[in-house]
Amino acid sequence: MVSKKIVLHFPNKLVDQPIVYKLVKDYNLKFNILKASITPKEEGLLVLELNGEEKDYKQGVNYLKESGVKVQPLSRDVVRNEAKCTHCGVCVPICPTAALVVDPLTRKVNFYNDKCIACELCIKACPVRAMEVHF
Amino acid sequence: MAKTIKEINEKIKKGKAVVVTAEEIIDIVDKKGLAKAAEEVDVVTTATFGPMCSSGAYINVGHTKPKIKIGGGKATLNDVPVYAGFAAVDIYLGATALPDEDPRNKLYPGDFEYGGGHVIEDLVAGKDVKLVASAYGTDCYPRKKLETWVNIKDLNEAVLFNPRNVYQNYNVAVNLSDRVIYTYMGTLKPHLGNANYCSAGQLSPLLNDPYYKTIGIGTRIFLGGGIGYVAWHGTQHNPTVKRKESGVTQAPAGTLAVIGDLKQMKPEWLRGATFHGYGVTLTVGIGIPIPILNEQICKYTAIKDEDIWTQIIDYSENYPQGKGSSLGEVNYAQLKSGHIKVQDKDVPTGGISSYSKAVEIANTLKTWIKKGDFLLTEPVASLPGEESGYTFKPLKERPLDK
Ligand code: SF4
Ligand code: SF4
């Protein structure tokens, strides 16, 4: 048995397809939805925890990729370069999971790493490139 | 009891001036009342730290041997084109300039990784910058090509000169369309997905001196971490927009042109910035002291976020087409709460200008004045005010074939 957390990016055209349903039916995988949202570009963003046999998991992920879904492992690889951040707040309404929020007292923008799903939407939204992807 | 700038400067020299920020004055006036506050406080410091596209620096690079006349030729700094329409070795580097090979929005939305704003930041940070110039050659300036590293410390002059900064109030940008749009107000999500604003509100210089009673031409300011001056009113200066009873404008209004020695400035207060799909700009830190000459001036500086109102503008249609009207009015306390109501929808807000950095600047300027390092100046001339009738006009296009 394996249990893995992955981030799925659904392009616009796939948003209304029964893809996750197929994962259950055809590949015998159990899932937990950790996060789901529609991004500014109207793409679907889904963070899943998948449970099942190793073989089924691999085939399931292949099926996702072939259908045009971008699959990424959920690893906490988006970090903030603290020296660069000016605490402007442009990223705050962009972040789909409230990992970037304004502290009402200090007016600084806090980054909650544990809420971040590495969707990377903040990377280009940040004017001073303070949000960095680390591989 | 009225004070003069001269009297305040005497106190500053003796280390006895009472200096507070535009945030702190609010509580002081609340607690002590206006009369007492105006008597006790000598200076209120205001500040802003936001992207300002109409920024740039003029530079004299020094003469080469043999001499070259870059004027009328072409030049780049780190591949970013600079204006070369002056004398032999004077150039002007604009914040929004982009390398010729930058794909811009051909790959929409463009990334705009590096441009004029970043060159200014690199110069100020003391990094070597690549100067490439070509000229047509004359009898007195025979050289035609130049390629060299330059460093700010070796330049004769490097002067930040920004034709428009420090906007008195600014729009709140939203997107009513059904696609994401990329603007100088940040990425705006469709169907009122977010609302972005860009003003330090109660800390912003011209919102604390709404009728330009103390800030004028010649006012000494904190500019990019060094000392600068107000050179003129800024471009698009528009003092005649509607105002609340407090005198505070309800839409973008006054602006300042500012100037100062780039060599004294610090990269943390002059930051190159990129707006995805829009371009490159420069984030500029500015702090302006307001001398508390009388109760009225003190009252202006005690303005609170909840009393500063601005307009919500649709950037998918109204702004680009230059038509339509405001979708409503909000105040900065509402904006800073994180959510506003637009057309009955709850819309999350995002800032473009950093309030926490503005607080840092206001405090730095306060320290400079308290230590006696920074004296106040009398304006040499006033900025055009509401009574001047000065307005910001659109361009009247006239067909060329007539
Ligand atoms: S957009 Fe960038 S600089 Fe601004 S608060 Fe977010 S991470 Fe910091
Ligand atoms: S990558 Fe950025 S926008 Fe995405 S969840 Fe993490 S912090 Fe938020």
Side-chain angles (χ1 to χ4, degrees):
Chain A
M1 284 287 282
V2 291
S3 164
K4 291 201 173 156
K5 289 180 185 165
I6 53 171
V7 184
L8 309 182
H9 296 258
F10 290 77
N12 206 331
K13 60 179 192 324
L14 291 181
V15 169
D16 49 7
Q17 302 291 311
I19 285 179
V20 175
Y21 165 75
K22 276 202 154 190
L23 276 183
V24 178
K25 200 171 134 276
D26 298 355
Y27 301 94
N28 209 17
L29 294 169
K30 281 198 200 116
F31 69 94
N32 253 326
I33 296 182
L34 302 176
K35 277 270 136 63
S37 73
I38 303 280
T39 73
K41 285 184 189 161
E42 304 278 300
E43 290 172 353
L45 189 99
L46 198 58
V47 183
L48 292 183
E49 184 180 349
L50 287 179
N51 291 299
E53 296 299 329
E54 176 89 44
K55 181 172 74 42
D56 291 336
Y57 173 79
K58 277 192 182 147
Q59 285 179 351
V61 167
N62 269 340
Y63 157 71
L64 288 171
K65 287 181 178 162
E66 277 161 17
S67 323
V69 180
K70 199 171 127 210
V71 184
Q72 282 178 312
L74 175 64
S75 50
R76 295 191 180 122
D77 55 359
V78 168
V79 295
R80 184 166 69 176
N81 184 328
E82 298 297 331
K84 278 190 174 173
C85 175
T86 65
H87 299 277
C88 61
V90 181
C91 54
V92 172
I94 297 294
C95 176
T97 64
L100 290 157
V101 287
V102 183
D103 182 314
L105 279 179
T106 63
R107 304 303 311 171
K108 290 196 169 175
V109 175
N110 294 337
F111 174 46
Y112 297 104
N113 200 297
D114 53 340
K115 287 197 182 166
C116 173
I117 53 162
C119 71
E120 299 183 19
L121 286 172
C122 56
I123 306 288
K124 287 186 176 170
C126 171
V128 294
R129 298 286 189 262
M131 300 304 292
E132 297 171 353
V133 194
H134 286 209
F135 300 98
Chain B
M1 189 197 65
K3 284 175 252 181
T4 65
I5 290 181
K6 212 167 152 224
E7 285 162 3
I8 294 175
N9 275 339
E10 285 312 313
K11 281 190 171 176
I12 295 175
K13 284 184 205 157
K14 288 186 195 131
K16 287 198 174 136
V18 178
V19 190
V20 301
T21 68
E23 204 178 53
E24 292 161 342
I25 190 73
I26 296 171
D27 273 353
I28 298 174
V29 169
D30 267 357
K31 285 201 189 100
K32 301 193 169 178
L34 193 57
K36 201 139 194 290
E39 200 183 311
E40 287 181 15
V41 176
D42 299 308
V43 186
V44 168
T45 57
T46 65
T48 173
F49 185 70
M52 304 181 181
C53 284
S54 262
S55 296
Y58 66 82
I59 291 167
N60 178 285
V61 299
H63 286 285
T64 52
K65 261 188 202 171
K67 287 184 179 164
I68 185 169
K69 177 174 154 346
I70 302 173
K74 282 185 177 159
T76 59
L77 286 173
N78 282 355
D79 301 323
V80 176
V82 299
Y83 181 72
F86 300 118
V89 289
D90 283 343
I91 52 177
Y92 186 89
L93 164 63
T96 65
L98 293 167
D100 288 341
E101 60 274 21
D102 188 290
R104 294 168 164 80
N105 265 343
K106 265 180 222 146
L107 295 170
Y108 178 85
D111 282 346
F112 304 103
E113 287 299 340
Y114 194 84
H118 300 99
V119 182
I120 294 175
E121 180 183 336
D122 283 347
L123 270 172
V124 175
K127 292 188 189 161
D128 280 345
V129 167
K130 184 180 70 182
L131 167 67
V132 174
S134 59
Y136 50 85
T138 70
D139 290 340
C140 44
Y141 294 95
R143 189 158 169 182
K144 292 189 178 164
K145 280 229 165 326
L146 171 64
E147 286 191 30
T148 178
W149 293 104
V150 293
N151 191 289
I152 191 166
K153 64 178 193 301
D154 304 321
L155 301 170
N156 287 319
E157 285 81 24
V159 179
L160 190 76
F161 178 43
N162 302 346
R164 178 172 72 249
N165 278 184
V166 207
Y167 242 119
Q168 182 178 23
N169 214 344
Y170 212 75
N171 299 332
V172 178
V174 296
N175 174 7
L176 292 179
S177 77
D178 51 15
R179 68 170 187 102
V180 60
I181 60 171
Y182 301 90
T183 76
Y184 68 89
M185 293 294 284
T187 302
L188 299 173
K189 300 196 267 183
H191 308 298
L192 293 167
N194 55 333
N196 286 358
Y197 63 99
C198 189
S199 170
Q202 62 193 17
L203 208 50
S204 180
L206 293 177
L207 291 173
N208 281 281
D209 185 9
Y211 291 110
Y212 329 124
K213 297 249 187 240
T214 70
I215 301 171
I217 296 170
T219 298
R220 183 178 293 137
I221 62 173
F222 169 113
L223 179 59
I227 286 176
Y229 295 86
V230 174
W232 203 252
H233 60 269
T235 54
Q236 295 184 189
H237 184 67
N238 196 15
T240 42
V241 306
K242 58 179 177 168
R243 293 169 187 259
K244 289 276 184 200
E245 224 170 285
S246 62
V248 168
T249 59
Q250 288 158 261
T255 66
L256 301 176
V258 297
I259 190 164
D261 183 5
L262 195 67
K263 293 189 179 197
Q264 294 176 32
M265 297 184 195
K266 310 242 163 15
E268 57 173 317
W269 301 118
L270 284 180
R271 299 281 301 276
T274 290
F275 282 90
H276 192 202
Y278 171 74
V280 164
T281 183
L282 185 70
T283 305
V284 185
I286 293 183
I288 305 188
I290 296 179
I292 302 303
L293 303 177
N294 55 47
E295 278 183 31
Q296 185 58 48
I297 288 169
C298 186
K299 190 174 172 193
Y300 290 139
T301 62
I303 189 86
K304 298 176 186 160
D305 278 338
E306 64 223 58
D307 297 321
I308 306 171
W309 295 81
T310 191
Q311 308 303 315
I312 303 163
I313 304 291
D314 166 41
Y315 273 63
S316 68
E317 183 70 21
N318 286 10
Y319 184 88
Q321 302 305 329
K323 62 179 193 200
S325 53
S326 165
L327 301 174
E329 209 170 60
V330 276
N331 67 49
Y332 283 89
Q334 293 167 332
L335 287 164
K336 287 178 186 173
S337 76
H339 290 265
I340 57 167
K341 271 249 166 3
V342 188
Q343 296 185 337
D344 285 328
K345 198 179 160 186
D346 192 37
V347 183
T349 58
I352 305 279
S353 122
S354 169
Y355 190 77
S356 67
K357 290 281 173 193
V359 172
E360 244 181 280
I361 295 171
N363 279 316
T364 307
L365 182 56
K366 176 169 125 179
T367 313
W368 288 0
I369 299 171
K370 278 187 156 178
K371 285 203 312 207
D373 295 344
F374 185 108
L375 293 177
L376 309 190
T377 50
E378 296 272 358
V380 183
S382 304
L383 302 169
E386 197 185 25
E387 70 299 334
S388 67
Y390 196 97
T391 54
F392 167 32
K393 306 181 291 289
L395 173 69
K396 267 201 204 113
E397 291 180 62
R398 286 177 290 134
L400 295 180
D401 51 15
K402 280 211 179 135

